[in-house]
Amino acid sequence: MREAMDPWTFIAASYAIGVGATVAMIGWSLLSMRRAEKRRDDARKR
Amino acid sequence: MHGFANPARFLRIARWLMPLCMGAGIVVAFGALGWGLLAAPAERLQGETVRIVYLHVPAAWLGMAGWMGIAVASFTELVWRHPLAGIAARACAVPGAVFTAVCLITGSLWGRPAWGTWWVWDGRLTSMLVLLFLYFGWMALSQASEASDGGQSKAPAIFGLVGAVNIPIIHYSVTWWNSLHQPPSITMGKSAMSGAFLWPLLFAMLGFTLIFGGVVLARMRAILANQQAEARLRRKALAAGDL
């Protein structure tokens, strides 16, 4: 017999992982872009 | 298309297109997730767990779209030698791998209450896992190529094209083999889903696709800027007689 499972635990975990990964990826891509463009601008000024 | 291969023209377009894609994508995707989580109804057979579909399906689509992006960019790089094609392929790899991983994890979290198991080695799940390993392999090969010959090697482009064989396998796996995974609910021009589930799903797919586009443009800007900085520093070192 299968135990009853609370679906909201699985839904909450899915949303936490999906949204967390998306936000982290957006943050990382913007940060690495800003760092790279600053590095290029600094190289131009030198 | 050849016109956009010019890095200066690409940068002019990417400067306004990237924040537009990212901003619109965040609003549409998170709005659709809120709709799916709070306003969409539960499904008759699957109950509340159907809400995972609003994350799982866009992630699956973008995992496959990421590799198709790599394959198209690889083909363009090999045939027309576009200067931006290799950069576009590199920019697709990380978001593609992230969405493939999200698809596998959310699928597993859906499978436990729906099928009673976290994982089965069937065609759909296994081919999706193979896609994640293809991403890891492609990223390792691309980094090795960048480190050894400044990205001149054709190996990542050939790998990108060969790996695209896995995409139709993923797509047709549920019709070719017996699977716990359901067959496709949305096909060209028709849907087996009711509008109450379909609309938030379509908006979630649109929103996450815009986010994916924004991330790819941001990655391309970062890779281009790093290449330009390195080229400038190398020229200066040459002029100073250090190299």
Side-chain angles (χ1 to χ4, degrees):
Chain A
M1 204 174 87
R2 262 171 55 193
E3 59 190 294
M5 280 179 277
D6 178 11
W8 285 101
T9 311
F10 296 93
I11 297 167
S14 296
Y15 276 67
I17 290 165
V19 172
T22 306
V23 170
M25 183 176 62
I26 291 171
W28 166 75
S29 66
L30 291 178
L31 209 67
S32 63
M33 183 192 77
R34 283 187 63 178
R35 274 195 199 134
E37 290 187 341
K38 188 176 180 305
R39 185 171 168 238
R40 179 195 57 202
D41 295 342
D42 289 348
R44 275 185 188 153
K45 281 180 206 155
R46 266 192 225 172
Chain B
M1 193 171 149
H2 284 258
F4 297 110
N6 178 312
R9 187 171 298 157
F10 163 78
L11 279 176
R12 267 203 307 277
I13 295 167
R15 261 185 211 114
W16 60 264
L17 190 59
M18 188 277 291
L20 185 70
C21 280
M22 207 80 101
I26 288 168
V27 171
V28 175
F30 292 138
L33 288 185
W35 183 359
L37 196 60
L38 306 169
E43 205 260 347
R44 188 171 54 92
L45 294 173
Q46 300 193 34
E48 302 288 353
T49 48
V50 76
R51 298 181 198 285
I52 298 174
V53 79
Y54 307 114
L55 258 172
H56 177 71
V57 173
W61 143 245
L62 289 169
M64 291 192 282
W67 195 277
M68 287 314 294
I70 290 177
V72 170
S74 300
F75 182 78
T76 311
E77 186 185 4
L78 288 173
V79 176
W80 291 293
R81 296 167 190 254
H82 275 216
L84 286 176
I87 293 171
R90 281 176 64 196
C92 285
V94 171
V98 167
F99 280 116
T100 304
V102 168
C103 167
L104 286 165
I105 295 167
T106 54
S108 189
L109 285 163
W110 196 357
R112 183 71 182 100
W115 305 333
T117 180
W118 297 102
W119 184 265
V120 281
W121 290 100
D122 75 353
R124 172 57 68 87
L125 278 70
T126 308
S127 55
M128 207 64 197
L129 184 65
V130 167
L131 179 65
L132 184 64
F133 292 143
L134 284 173
Y135 274 117
F136 292 156
W138 193 91
M139 287 189 275
L141 188 61
S142 170
Q143 278 199 344
S145 151
E146 193 68 24
S148 63
D149 58 13
Q152 298 299 307
S153 167
K154 301 272 178 286
I158 293 165
F159 186 10
L161 279 177
V162 173
V165 169
N166 192 40
I167 301 299
I169 295 175
I170 295 171
H171 184 74
Y172 291 108
S173 56
V174 283
T175 44
W176 288 345
W177 300 296
N178 281 329
S179 172
L180 274 180
H181 197 284
Q182 65 196 61
S185 304
I186 308 169
T187 48
M188 277 295 181
K190 59 179 180 177
S191 162
M193 291 176 89
S194 141
F197 306 105
L198 183 65
W199 283 109
L201 175 59
L202 290 179
F203 275 101
M205 288 175 79
L206 172 69
F208 279 105
T209 304
L210 286 169
I211 290 175
F212 184 92
V215 170
V216 168
L217 289 173
R219 292 292 307 134
M220 287 179 75
R221 279 176 62 175
I223 296 166
L224 259 176
N226 272 326
Q227 285 183 350
Q228 288 167 341
E230 271 160 35
R232 192 165 281 269
L233 290 173
R234 206 174 300 124
R235 273 201 303 275
K236 283 187 177 167
L238 269 173
D242 292 348
L243 285 176

